[in-house]
Amino acid sequence: MAVDNGGVQWCFSQVKGTIEEDVTEADIISTVEFNHDGELLATGDKGGRIVIFQKEDVVSKESPHYGEYSVYSTFQSHEPEFDYLKSLEIEEKINKIKWLKRQNASHFLLSTNDKTIKLWKISERSCRPGNFNLRDDSGVPRDPGDIKELRVPVLRPSDLVVEASPRRVFANAHTYHINSISVNSDGETYLSADDLRINLWHIGINDQSFNIVDIKPTNMEELTEVITAAEFHPIECNTLVYSSSKGTVRLCDMRQQALCDSHAKLFEEPEDPATRSFFSEIISSISDVRFSHSGRYMITRDYLTVKVWDLNMEKQPVEMYNVHDYLRSKLCSLYENDCIFDKFECVWNGSDSSIMTGSYNNFFHIFDRNSKNDLCLEASREFSKPKQLLHPRRVAMTSKRKKDDITVECLDFSKKILHTAWHPNEDIIAVAATNNLYLFQDSHTT
């Protein structure tokens, strides 16, 4: 049976990464992000490395529309550091990558670890200068006695070289770990958020930022919630949202006041007292919030669900999708092995008609907003033949299960899809599974 989700039949495209069982911690992918036209795809890992893939529009008789992603550039973005003042190690792990809209021939992206944000310029060089007066083309100084005439330096064609160069370093502005960065629609500013504060930066100024949200209490013993994610509105440069560990989302308008401690809107679903338990507050914590491309809606991901909110309606979400409701009975063991604190991301497709998010056992879900269909797929090398159609997976809730169903007891909680990305214009998705990057696409385009 082919997989159909809103007219899309998903098939395997590519997988990047090693097969070896003994994967090092540094190789685990920690973020995935397409650029604005989808021609580039960046991944960051726990070892501080960034790998950029470029889409190759290869046309052949066998695959007239098939474009694969190949490695475009690899560089070390962050190194491990040590905070001597607090006697703390600062990991090199890349927490987030955000692309800036392209202004010229070069590409720019922001990357961050727990403390430091860096602006990188990705540029191509296909020619090199030569015909110098004081040295030869290999850089060796020339004998002054051999210099008889004045040369005019020229540019000569050479092999294509992709260079990644750090343009700015934005540091020393966060006391706590940075969990989000978001580029504003004005293209000039961006925000960075940690557990208790959100700062506003100008991309051209790296030695100062403005604190726009501060929820740190005077007495830290009174701390009841932390910021978990933040994002700028895709169209209105004055609007941003941030989510909290209490399951709320606050919308702030920077036109009202410089310090957005008082929100303009509060999105919160009232809790049902009948279902309240010891784990209620933990599973209600929002791990990700994303605006739709239109700016009308936003999605939030908590431990068990994805919710769609209309910005004009604060009381309750307009849509709710259960990701793995079958884990509700397993919360105690998930608490003991710390899985209950996993932070799953969620993303929109380019037309805002579908939503994708991850789960365990290398499963990920695609929810079609029109049909309300929940499509569960698996990222696995067992189903990684070129253009192989993906088959839906299902977790059996009862003893009555079909042939291909899997039971809750058989789920592998060490295999989890936390980071996903969706091409902004096409049905191409990227899924990070431990140290492997899987790419799937609509079979109709292959």
Side-chain angles (χ1 to χ4, degrees):
M1 183 181 67
V3 174
D4 197 336
N5 186 251
V8 177
Q9 287 184 309
W10 293 101
C11 72
F12 173 82
S13 176
Q14 294 170 268
V15 59
K16 307 284 188 181
T18 54
I19 307 176
E20 287 81 10
E21 290 294 325
D22 50 338
V23 178
T24 64
E25 185 79 7
D27 295 328
I28 296 175
I29 297 173
S30 54
T31 185
V32 184
E33 194 80 17
F34 281 102
N35 73 338
H36 290 84
D37 60 11
E39 293 304 299
L40 298 178
L41 171 64
T43 65
D45 63 26
K46 291 190 175 182
R49 296 179 297 264
I50 291 178
V51 181
I52 300 175
F53 301 92
Q54 183 181 44
K55 188 181 180 188
E56 293 184 345
D57 292 321
V58 177
V59 178
S60 65
K61 292 180 182 178
E62 297 177 355
S63 52
H65 307 293
Y66 201 65
E68 290 196 341
Y69 283 82
S70 58
V71 175
Y72 180 64
S73 177
T74 303
F75 58 96
Q76 188 74 29
S77 175
H78 287 70
E79 300 281 357
E81 300 173 47
F82 191 81
D83 187 336
Y84 291 96
L85 193 62
K86 297 179 180 176
S87 296
L88 288 174
E89 288 186 11
I90 302 170
E91 292 182 345
E92 63 270 36
K93 171 192 168 189
I94 307 295
N95 290 343
K96 294 288 179 181
I97 292 173
K98 292 294 177 183
W99 291 92
L100 276 63
K101 285 189 177 177
R102 196 172 183 181
Q103 306 285 338
N104 50 42
S106 300
H107 297 273
F108 289 86
L109 63 81
L110 290 166
S111 65
T112 184
N113 66 352
D114 285 341
K115 297 291 182 182
T116 305
I117 306 157
K118 294 184 180 181
L119 174 66
W120 289 90
K121 177 183 179 182
I122 318 298
S123 55
E124 295 182 355
R125 179 164 52 84
S126 57
C127 54
R128 56 185 176 81
N131 206 41
F132 295 111
N133 288 285
L134 300 179
R135 65 180 190 273
D136 60 25
D137 288 354
S138 62
V140 178
R142 294 174 64 199
D143 186 345
D146 294 337
I147 302 174
K148 306 295 184 183
E149 58 183 356
L150 183 66
R151 290 181 176 183
V152 178
V154 296
L155 289 174
R156 296 194 177 108
S158 66
D159 294 336
L160 178 66
V161 176
V162 180
E163 296 178 320
S165 53
R167 307 301 291 175
R168 286 185 178 82
V169 177
F170 307 87
N172 305 318
H174 284 277
T175 306
Y176 307 98
H177 293 175
I178 299 171
N179 56 48
S180 302
I181 50 175
S182 177
V183 181
N184 203 344
S185 60
D186 62 14
E188 295 182 354
T189 56
Y190 75 92
L191 65 77
S192 59
D194 65 24
D195 293 340
L196 297 177
R197 294 189 178 98
I198 300 176
N199 292 331
L200 179 67
W201 301 83
H202 191 284
I203 289 170
I205 303 170
N206 65 337
D207 58 354
Q208 74 177 61
S209 63
F210 298 97
N211 179 226
I212 53 175
V213 173
D214 188 348
I215 66 168
K216 183 180 179 181
T218 307
N219 182 1
M220 284 295 281
E221 292 181 0
E222 298 172 1
L223 181 68
T224 57
E225 63 180 333
V226 295
I227 297 168
T228 55
E231 186 175 60
F232 266 123
H233 191 280
I235 301 166
E236 300 169 5
C237 62
N238 55 282
T239 306
L240 63 103
V241 293
Y242 67 92
S243 58
S244 86
S245 57
K246 274 196 165 182
T248 62
V249 177
R250 292 173 173 84
L251 183 142
C252 301
D253 188 340
M254 293 190 293
R255 295 173 301 183
Q256 292 182 345
Q257 54 192 23
L259 189 61
C260 302
D261 281 352
S262 58
H263 50 268
K265 290 185 177 182
L266 176 67
F267 299 86
E268 182 178 18
E269 186 177 28
E271 186 184 10
D272 183 0
T275 60
R276 179 162 181 82
S277 70
F278 171 78
F279 306 107
S280 294
E281 191 166 320
I282 301 173
I283 63 174
S284 66
S285 175
I286 294 173
S287 56
D288 199 14
V289 57
R290 302 281 182 110
F291 278 110
S292 63
H293 295 85
S294 67
R296 171 70 187 272
Y297 300 95
M298 64 179 177
I299 48 175
T300 58
R301 172 69 207 265
D302 56 43
Y303 190 66
L304 297 177
T305 67
V306 172
K307 297 182 176 75
V308 180
W309 300 82
D310 187 325
L311 292 192
N312 297 323
M313 194 169 92
E314 303 168 57
K315 289 185 178 179
Q316 62 186 33
V318 291
E319 300 164 33
M320 188 179 81
Y321 302 96
N322 288 313
V323 181
H324 38 219
D325 200 52
Y326 46 79
L327 295 181
R328 198 175 288 275
S329 61
K330 300 287 182 181
L331 294 179
C332 187
S333 58
L334 291 166
Y335 178 79
E336 290 172 356
N337 64 17
D338 284 345
C339 283
I340 200 169
F341 302 105
D342 286 334
K343 301 184 186 310
F344 294 94
E345 296 176 3
C346 53
V347 290
W348 298 88
N349 71 338
S351 61
D352 298 335
S353 61
S354 294
I355 299 161
M356 176 171 59
T357 192
S359 182
Y360 295 104
N361 210 72
N362 279 358
F363 288 172
F364 61 98
H365 293 255
I366 297 176
F367 302 103
D368 185 277
R369 296 184 61 209
N370 297 317
S371 66
K372 304 299 187 242
N373 182 41
D374 171 11
L375 177 62
C376 177
L377 301 174
E378 182 181 4
S380 171
R381 286 185 178 269
E382 292 179 25
F383 314 107
S384 58
K385 294 178 182 177
K387 305 179 188 179
Q388 181 178 3
L389 288 174
L390 301 185
H391 294 279
R393 302 306 309 270
R394 201 173 78 98
V395 178
M397 299 284 288
T398 63
S399 56
K400 295 180 180 179
R401 63 188 185 98
K402 297 178 182 177
K403 179 183 176 183
D404 296 329
D405 287 358
I406 185 171
T407 62
V408 179
E409 285 71 24
C410 294
L411 292 173
D412 187 344
F413 291 99
S414 66
K415 295 179 179 179
K416 56 192 81 171
I417 304 292
L418 300 177
H419 314 288
T420 58
W422 201 311
H423 191 290
N425 307 316
E426 301 176 36
D427 282 320
I428 300 174
I429 55 178
V431 173
T434 317
N435 67 313
N436 290 311
L437 177 70
Y438 288 86
L439 288 156
F440 305 102
Q441 67 181 77
D442 184 359
S443 62
H444 297 119
T445 63
T446 62

